[in-house]
Amino acid sequence: MSLHLPDPLAIRYSPFATPMFRVFDLKQMGYCPRLAYYAYCLPNLTIARPPLVSLGARSGQAAEALEHRRSLRAYGLREGKRYFQVWLESESLDLCGQLDLLIETPDELIPVDFKDSLEHSPGRRVPPTVYRGWAIQLAAYALLLEQTWDRPVRRGFIYYIPTRRARQVEITDALRDEVRAVLAQMRAIVEREVMPPPTPYRARCRDCEFRRFCNDV
Ligand code: SF4
């Protein structure tokens, strides 16, 4: 793949000067909608890295997964062409992102998202839990692939690096609708520039790098 991929965490703008949301933002919205507000309405608030994810960690994930993924067995596939770190963007969705792995078979395109968080490690022999936010991210990649590669996407996989296991996620209409709903929520936040309420899960605020900007938690 190209050595000049865009920074997956940089905010990009469409030709109409509206922000193109990142697939990363969908997960952030699930964590706390204020993260989208800070990213797009107050972009000059600088922190070392957005919470939850660092680029270094992402490269580590990709590198480690590349190391471990020499066959398609984990996905139950016999054949398929693999593309790593695939950049995808769509102006009609106002969405972009870098997919860890795309598998192309004669019948379908299959997005794969690598995860390596130790916090979720359930043990080496157990397939990964698929959190709703992860499934929504996969569905977002599916929508992007359908738009940009013009081929249907029926399923994707979460590849869980600590266990070297993959779990299939069906890309249902409900998941697709959730992606569109979260994108609409983000659009509303950006257009109205009104700070959303804090996450109801206040334990999340403890480790959040934006905490010093939230005066009500
Ligand atoms: S400190 Fe809490 S409310 Fe504020 S952005 Fe972080 S998670 Fe959200």
Side-chain angles (χ1 to χ4, degrees), residues 31-32 34-35 38 198-199 204-205 208 210-211 214 217:
Y31 193 81
C32 176
R34 276 193 184 174
L35 298 177
Y38 287 135
T199 172
R204 294 177 178 176
C205 302
C208 178
F210 286 94
R211 185 171 186 174
C214 291
V217 295

Side-chain angles (χ1 to χ4, degrees), residues 127-186:
T129 301
V130 175
Y131 295 90
R132 194 67 183 168
W134 295 359
I136 290 173
Q137 280 188 295
L138 261 186
Y141 287 122
L143 290 177
L144 281 168
L145 280 168
E146 286 175 339
Q147 287 252 331
T148 54
W149 287 55
D150 198 23
R151 302 232 353 237
V153 180
R154 296 187 289 276
R155 57 182 174 149
F157 285 91
I158 299 293
Y159 181 80
Y160 197 57
I161 293 170
T163 56
R164 302 185 196 181
R165 302 279 164 149
R167 178 163 275 189
Q168 180 173 297
V169 177
E170 193 188 342
I171 308 298
T172 60
D173 287 344
L175 267 182
R176 292 166 193 270
D177 287 347
E178 277 195 63
V179 173
R180 293 189 190 100
V182 178
L183 287 173
Q185 274 174 30
M186 282 198 284

